[in-house]
Amino acid sequence: MNSLTIIARDNATGRVLEIIGDLDYATAPKLRKAVDGLTLTAGELLVLDLAELNYCDSSGISALLSARSLAIEQGSDVALAAVPANMLRILGIVGLDQVFTIHPDTTTATDHGSVAS
C-alpha cells in the first residue's frame, strides 16, 4: 500500500506543505484535496517541501502542477523545496525546472531575501 502524509504549517511567507512518502496515482488525489482546501492570500508563497518524498510518478507531478495553478489563480506563488536528486533530474528533463522555483530547503524558500537555484 502506498503511503502519503501531508503536514501543513504556516510561516511568515505563507504556507508549507511537507509531502512525505509516495506521490503517485493512488495518492495524488490526497495532495490535490489538501491544496484545494487551502486559502492563499495574494502575495503569499506556497512551499511544497519534498525532503521526505520517496517516489513521484507522472500523477504526482500533475498534482504538483495543479498546486501551482491554484496558487497562481489566488495571486500567490509556489516553490518546491528539498527536491530529491532523482526527481530534480526528471523535472529538468521535462522542463519543469523552468516552471517551478526550486530551493535547496524550506528555510531558504521561506527566507524573504532568498534566490532560487
Side-chain angles (χ1 to χ4, degrees):
M1 175 108 189
N2 299 349
S3 174
L4 182 71
T5 301
I6 300 170
I7 300 171
R9 69 177 190 276
D10 293 328
N11 68 46
T13 59
R15 300 281 179 98
V16 175
L17 294 182
E18 292 179 54
I19 302 169
I20 303 164
D22 296 338
L23 184 56
D24 58 19
Y25 179 78
T27 61
K30 185 173 183 178
L31 176 59
R32 289 178 193 268
K33 184 176 180 181
V35 170
D36 286 345
L38 294 176
T39 301
L40 302 170
T41 308
E44 278 189 335
L45 177 65
L46 172 61
V47 176
L48 304 175
D49 181 351
L50 307 180
E52 295 186 55
L53 183 69
N54 297 326
Y55 175 79
C56 184
D57 69 5
S58 60
S59 297
I61 291 172
S62 177
L64 296 175
L65 286 166
S66 291
R68 180 181 178 272
S69 294
L70 178 76
I72 290 170
E73 286 173 13
Q74 295 186 14
S76 300
D77 200 1
V78 67
L80 303 180
V83 180
N86 60 340
M87 185 171 173
L88 193 56
R89 180 175 175 267
I90 292 167
L91 293 175
I93 289 169
V94 298
L96 291 177
D97 60 338
Q98 302 300 308
V99 172
F100 286 104
T101 302
I102 299 173
H103 294 278
D105 54 50
T106 300
T107 302
T108 305
T110 58
D111 179 10
H112 289 288
S114 69
V115 177
S117 60

